[in-house]
Amino acid sequence: MRQAGIDIGSRSIEVVVLENGRVVTSRQAISGHNPVERVKELLTDITFDSMMATGYGRGIVEVAFDFPTITEIKAYGTGAAALYPGIRGVLDIGGQDTKVITLDGKGKVLKFEMNDKCAAGTGKFLEMMESTLGYEKNTMGAMAMSGKKGVEINSMCAVFAESEVTSLMAKGCDRADIALAIHQSICRRAIGMIRRQNIGFPLMFAGGVANNPCMVHLLREALGEEVIVPETPHFVGAYGAALLAE
Amino acid sequence: MADYTKMWTDLGLNHENHNALLEYLGGAYQSIFMSQEKRPEGMSYFDFVISEAHGLRIKELCDEREAGRKVIGSFCVFVPEEMVLAAGCTSVGLCSGADFAQEEVEKVIPRNTCSLIKSFFGFSLGKVCPYMEVSDLIVGENTCDGKKKAFETFKDMVPNFYQMDLPQTKTPAGRQTLKLEFMRFLNQLEEMTGKKVTLEGLKEGIAITNAKRKALQRLATLRAADPAPISGLDALLINQVSFLDNPVRFTENVNKICDQIEVEIAANQGVKKAKAPRILLSGCPMAIPNWKLPTIIESTGAVIVGEESCIGERGLRNLTDDSANTIEGLIDAIVDRYFKIDCAVFTPNQERVEHIKEMKAKYNADGVIHYGLQFCQPYIMESFTVEKQLEKENIPVLRIETDYSQEDIGQLSTRVEAFVEILK
């Protein structure tokens, strides 16, 4: 029995295939402007008996391929509980949204919160700040680790934050210090969501942004509790979906 | 549909804007309501009323005015319809559920104002609401700060504005305020018509209004059945139509659809699958054509089984006691009836939470979705209390804060779907 899960996010698409419960294939691609074509490409030489789609673009593949769908909230909850039995919560920061999910310890979602309209403090925000600061792609997190605390970014709006960053650079602030400040502001926002839900621990940090070492470090420091980061945090949604494919 | 161009011109509507609104309404109605499966037969009446909401119904109101009747437009369930009818006038609702002429609106009131307030400003500035234009008196009530202050601007935009004060506490002094305001309102109606309200007139006004409420209560009660005998969207629509239609004819048609629904329930038939997740909607009112959230909810396969809202149970829960045999006695009964409304502008307002719990049990809801309009302080403030108190009793709650724009549909869908997954 080969169960597949696909997570169509705003920035990336992940596929996971399980055979008898074990991961045999996992792939990732950029969503781009035509996610349906991307899904076709990703699935070309993959065989599966059942499929479950999740993520922001699940509706698109439901229409195009007739795949059943679940929300990414359920997918992350299921994936996290399977990877780490007893987990009590998930923080998922993806390309355009942030979710905090309270679990019952067995993978059932009890409560969740998710940002509304604005994509402030998500993966896309980090990408934009990375380019404003002139860093290579996916390097800002590591660079921010060497930053010194003291600089503050107050705006969570990508447009205003960009002008804040520009004026800090003009003032001569160190790039790494500014990068650290950006991570701190995102972290504060995530912690606010976590505290509001009065979540239990251990907590899993998943989604693409969990690959960022500075975010992980700041989150652990601020929470002072056990924060689990799986090996491939961006695959947790697709993995959860695959587990639910019947 | 007949050609109403001349009537619309005479009412001073802006053709271009009005056509744009009608086109939008027609399209939304087709895709949201007419696409539903297995609707009760009796919905065809309400479909017809909606299709003629700016046509035949307005013509009727114009004819009534021609015959000397006055039309009283209001924004709120605190305006006593019994008195309006007793004075020989007709009551219509003016609440609006769509963004219109936003740029014009934001020239006169702040951008961060709730959609409902912005909407009636937009409908007025854009000259697209025939109900507003056909009203001889537009009654604004001091509920929330947003409305109260917005009326200071609105009163100069229309020639016939009347402001009604409302209490904010359920104290003897609060009741006295409501009574004085209702008596002042009755005087206003008498001045407009040149006739004194009689005991018989009041009795009749109460009878018509109570009959309408009873019919809507009957419909609400039938929704406790599983499988759901009517969609939440259709039930909401009927409640929305109650603010526009002739009350006697409306009541007959609600009872008719209830008769049909009872037959379906007896045959164990419904419009949704048996055991579909059942949602109670609670919070701000949803005026036509604000169908965004109910559409999202029901597209997940869940069914809305009740609306704890002004356009819903808050507006029709209580009947007016008609036993008194003096005008003063009936006025007191009307005041008592309206004083029970558990609007979030009151403080404290614990009875609202109790009502939500009651409705949850009565309609066998699995969870509650609390709908707050962005910048609606009273309901958003209460949403925290509601959530906390319901969760204490293990009732799942999802708090939604949104407006009339369509831009958050994707995110709202994810949240609603995830909530429905929890209920399954």
Side-chain angles (χ1 to χ4, degrees):
Chain A
M1 170 82 175
R2 286 169 72 90
Q3 295 165 270
I6 186 161
D7 181 357
I8 301 115
S10 62
R11 306 292 300 154
S12 63
I13 302 173
E14 290 84 18
V15 178
V16 167
V17 182
L18 308 176
E19 190 158 341
N20 302 323
R22 289 196 37 203
V23 177
V24 288
T25 308
S26 53
R27 286 183 190 174
Q28 188 185 30
I30 300 296
S31 305
H33 65 281
N34 190 345
V36 172
E37 275 308 307
R38 283 301 165 97
V39 171
K40 266 188 203 157
E41 286 163 25
L42 269 175
L43 296 178
T44 37
D45 55 346
I46 292 182
T47 56
F48 51 84
D49 302 308
S50 58
M51 168 65 91
M52 180 65 84
T54 188
Y56 168 79
R58 65 191 179 283
I60 306 169
V61 299
E62 188 176 11
V63 175
F65 304 97
D66 203 22
F67 293 156
T69 63
I70 49 162
T71 65
E72 49 272 41
I73 290 160
K74 185 166 183 177
Y76 268 89
T78 306
L83 286 171
Y84 199 95
I87 200 99
R88 302 309 297 265
V90 181
L91 166 67
D92 160 31
I93 307 186
Q96 70 172 18
D97 50 39
T98 303
K99 299 180 194 76
V100 172
I101 307 163
T102 300
L103 299 171
D104 68 348
K106 297 181 200 106
K108 188 173 159 36
V109 176
L110 293 177
K111 199 169 169 58
F112 63 89
E113 193 176 331
M114 152 177 182
N115 59 315
D116 297 319
K117 290 178 184 172
C118 179
T122 61
K124 179 69 193 166
F125 179 80
L126 275 169
E127 279 179 24
M128 288 170 77
M129 292 302 114
E130 197 166 53
S131 107
T132 306
L133 284 172
Y135 283 118
E136 291 283 312
K137 226 171 169 308
N138 297 327
T139 60
M140 182 171 71
M143 302 309 283
M145 294 290 281
S146 65
K148 290 182 300 296
K149 288 185 182 170
V151 178
E152 257 198 58
I153 299 283
N154 298 303
S155 188
M156 269 280 111
C157 164
V159 178
F160 292 144
E162 185 160 11
S163 49
E164 242 187 300
V165 165
T166 311
S167 77
L168 283 169
M169 286 197 289
K171 268 195 228 156
C173 281
D174 186 70
R175 204 158 64 132
D177 297 352
I178 301 172
L180 176 62
I182 290 166
H183 287 80
Q184 283 176 313
S185 75
I186 298 175
C187 189
R188 266 198 303 276
R189 194 168 177 274
I191 300 250
M193 286 173 80
I194 291 168
R195 296 270 188 239
R196 260 200 301 282
Q197 253 181 68
N198 202 10
I199 222 159
F201 291 90
L203 173 86
M204 180 176 286
F205 183 18
V209 174
N211 285 308
N212 177 314
C214 187
M215 283 304 297
V216 174
H217 169 74
L218 290 175
L219 201 66
R220 285 188 170 139
E221 187 181 66
L223 288 170
E225 297 269 2
E226 197 180 352
V227 177
I228 314 276
V229 182
E231 219 172 292
T232 48
H234 45 291
F235 278 112
V236 175
Y239 176 60
L243 288 169
L244 293 166
E246 282 168 354
Chain B
M1 190 157 128
D3 186 3
Y4 295 108
T5 317
K6 185 179 176 309
M7 177 179 77
W8 291 333
T9 308
D10 292 345
L11 285 171
L13 294 188
N14 176 312
H15 282 298
E16 202 181 311
N17 289 350
H18 185 240
N19 286 339
L21 180 71
L22 286 188
E23 206 164 293
Y24 169 77
L25 277 175
Y29 199 77
Q30 279 297 327
S31 70
I32 295 170
F33 287 90
M34 304 311 279
S35 64
Q36 297 178 101
E37 285 168 20
K38 298 191 281 183
R39 299 171 80 211
E41 205 184 306
M43 279 312 294
S44 59
Y45 171 75
F46 302 97
D47 290 337
F48 176 72
V49 176
I50 289 287
S51 72
E52 289 289 345
H54 281 210
L56 190 57
R57 180 61 187 142
I58 299 302
K59 169 131 195 337
E60 287 179 347
L61 293 172
C62 288
D63 291 347
E64 286 184 14
R65 290 177 84 196
E66 198 99 335
R69 232 178 134 88
K70 303 286 181 196
V71 176
I72 312 296
S74 62
F75 295 104
C76 176
V77 294
F78 268 103
V79 177
E81 190 174 354
E82 294 90 333
M83 289 184 172
V84 173
L85 293 171
C89 304
T90 297
S91 170
V92 292
L94 298 177
C95 263
S96 353
D99 290 330
F100 207 87
Q102 292 237 57
E103 281 171 32
E104 294 304 306
V105 173
E106 286 169 17
K107 282 183 197 159
V108 294
I109 51 170
R111 203 159 71 88
N112 289 354
T113 305
C114 92
S115 291
L116 197 137
I117 295 173
K118 281 169 115 174
S119 181
F120 72 73
F121 270 76
F123 277 30
S124 174
L125 289 168
K127 292 276 169 211
V128 293
C129 178
Y131 291 90
M132 223 175 252
E133 306 306 326
V134 86
S135 291
D136 294 288
L137 191 73
I138 294 181
V139 185
E141 13 44 54
N142 293 344
T143 47
C144 62
D145 283 354
K147 271 191 177 177
K148 195 161 73 186
K149 299 305 282 185
F151 287 147
E152 290 174 11
T153 304
F154 190 70
K155 73 174 183 353
D156 296 328
M157 287 165 41
V158 290
N160 46 1
F161 187 75
Y162 175 92
Q163 196 156 5
M164 180 185 278
D165 198 19
L166 288 182
Q168 306 223 317
T169 55
K170 300 268 169 94
T171 55
R175 188 188 175 281
Q176 185 62 15
T177 301
L178 191 65
K179 183 172 178 183
L180 289 173
E181 280 300 304
F182 276 12
M183 287 170 71
R184 189 171 69 89
F185 178 59
L186 196 61
N187 278 337
Q188 168 73 31
L189 294 172
E190 288 176 338
E191 253 174 49
M192 284 175 72
T193 60
K195 274 183 253 158
K196 281 276 167 203
V197 163
T198 62
L199 181 70
E200 292 68 39
L202 271 174
K203 286 252 181 195
E204 196 195 341
I206 292 173
I208 293 172
T209 317
N210 274 349
K212 177 162 85 167
R213 290 175 187 139
K214 276 186 203 157
L216 286 167
Q217 287 172 0
R218 184 179 165 205
L219 176 69
T221 307
L222 294 175
R223 292 167 74 189
D226 182 43
I230 184 169
S231 69
L233 273 164
D234 279 337
L236 172 66
L237 186 84
I238 293 174
N239 277 288
Q240 290 173 331
V241 166
S242 75
F243 290 86
L244 306 179
D245 200 7
N246 172 292
V248 176
R249 183 177 60 201
F250 172 82
T251 303
E252 279 169 22
N253 281 283
V254 175
N255 280 319
K256 238 183 244 172
I257 200 171
C258 287
D259 293 341
Q260 295 163 4
I261 286 176
E262 278 172 356
V263 175
E264 296 295 317
I265 293 173
N268 207 19
Q269 294 295 310
V271 299
K272 302 271 173 182
K273 284 188 189 128
K275 307 264 180 274
R278 301 167 68 86
I279 307 275
L280 177 68
L281 256 185
S282 169
C284 291
M286 290 176 179
I288 296 176
N290 177 15
W291 301 307
K292 179 170 78 170
L293 186 58
T295 306
I296 291 173
I297 294 172
E298 297 209 320
S299 69
T300 67
V303 57
I304 299 165
V305 295
E307 296 80 25
E308 191 278 322
S309 156
C310 302
I311 300 177
E313 204 138 324
R314 191 178 309 125
L316 60 91
R317 180 175 291 119
N318 302 300
L319 300 179
T320 301
D321 182 355
D322 62 354
S323 59
N325 279 314
T326 59
I327 291 183
E328 166 96 30
L330 290 179
I331 290 175
D332 268 319
I334 292 171
V335 172
D336 285 337
R337 189 263 163 198
Y338 284 83
F339 198 52
K340 284 188 201 138
I341 296 175
D342 57 351
C343 172
V345 299
F346 282 91
T347 181
N349 194 30
Q350 180 59 30
E351 57 264 46
R352 180 168 163 239
V353 183
E354 302 308 326
H355 281 140
I356 298 173
K357 289 183 202 163
E358 268 172 44
M359 286 179 73
K360 191 259 166 203
K362 188 172 168 199
Y363 305 129
N364 308 309
D366 300 307
V368 176
I369 295 186
H370 191 283
Y371 161 72
L373 270 177
Q374 223 169 18
F375 311 117
C376 171
Q377 257 182 359
Y379 280 96
I380 290 175
M381 285 269 180
E382 278 195 4
S383 72
F384 283 71
T385 324
V386 168
E387 180 182 43
K388 216 189 262 168
Q389 295 201 28
L390 295 185
E391 283 183 347
K392 215 182 271 173
E393 304 197 4
N394 293 318
I395 301 171
V397 185
L398 176 69
R399 269 193 299 115
I400 297 279
E401 215 179 292
T402 184
D403 56 19
Y404 291 174
S405 74
Q406 307 292 304
E407 65 176 354
D408 60 350
I409 286 183
Q411 265 136 336
L412 283 182
S413 300
T414 299
R415 294 167 70 189
V416 169
E417 273 177 48
F419 184 66
V420 171
E421 284 169 352
I422 291 178
L423 303 179
K424 274 180 185 164

